[in-house]
Amino acid sequence: MAEILIGIVIIAISLAATINAQSFPKPLTSEVPGSAFFPTVIAVALIVACLALIYKGIREKNSYFSFKSDKKGYVVMAITIALTAIYILLFGKMHFIILTSVYIGILALLFGVKWHKAIPSAVISATVVYLVFNRLLNVLLNG
C-alpha cells in the first residue's frame, strides 16, 4: 500500500515540476535545449518509474515500506515533500544558487548532516550544478 501512496505523491510532484518548467526561459536557438528540457526529462522518468512502483504495489501484497514502525520517518518524509513543493514553486523566481543551496542545506540538516558540513556542501553543490548547466550544457538557469 505504501508503494502506491509514495508513487502517487512523486507523480504529483513530477507533474508540478513539469508544469512549472514550462515557464522557464525559452532557448536562444533551436539547437540548444532550453532550461525546461532536463527537468521535464527527469520528471517523465520519475513518472514512469512511479507507475511501475504503483503497479507492483497493486499486484503484490508484500511491501518494501512500512508506515507502522517509524513515526520520525513520517515527519521527515512530510517535510521533504513540503520543501520540494516549495522549491518547485520558487524555482525560476529566485536565484538558482541561493534557492538550491538553501534547499540542499535544509535537507542535509533534516537528514542528520552536521551544519558545518551541510552548509558548505550545499553551496558548493548548487554552484557546481549551476556552472555545469550554464557553461557546459548551455542551459540557462535563473542566476
Side-chain angles (χ1 to χ4, degrees):
M1 183 64 177
E3 288 89 349
I4 297 169
L5 178 62
I6 289 171
I8 291 169
V9 168
I10 294 174
I11 285 173
I13 291 170
S14 297
L15 288 172
T18 302
I19 291 166
N20 189 44
Q22 303 318 304
S23 68
F24 295 172
K26 302 299 177 215
L28 300 175
T29 64
S30 61
E31 296 90 34
V32 178
S35 55
F37 178 75
F38 289 107
T40 303
V41 168
I42 292 168
V44 169
L46 278 172
I47 289 169
V48 170
C50 286
L51 289 173
L53 182 66
I54 291 169
Y55 176 74
K56 185 173 178 10
I58 291 170
R59 284 194 53 142
E60 296 182 7
K61 300 297 179 198
N62 297 339
S63 178
Y64 287 113
F65 306 104
S66 172
F67 284 125
K68 295 179 182 175
S69 61
D70 186 17
K71 304 254 189 253
K72 182 183 176 201
Y74 301 143
V75 174
V76 170
M77 183 176 73
I79 293 171
T80 302
I81 292 168
L83 283 174
T84 302
I86 292 168
Y87 180 80
I88 290 167
L89 292 173
L90 294 176
F91 198 90
K93 295 172 181 64
M94 288 182 62
H95 192 286
F96 177 83
I97 294 175
I98 295 170
L99 178 63
T100 304
S101 295
V102 170
Y103 176 70
I104 293 172
I106 292 172
L107 285 178
L109 294 170
L110 182 66
F111 286 100
V113 177
K114 302 283 186 207
W115 70 268
H116 63 279
K117 291 181 181 179
I119 304 306
S121 298
V123 172
I124 290 168
S125 299
T127 304
V128 167
V129 169
Y130 179 81
L131 292 174
V132 166
F133 275 82
N134 273 9
R135 302 282 162 80
L136 296 178
L137 300 175
N138 291 323
V139 175
L140 300 175
L141 296 173
N142 192 15

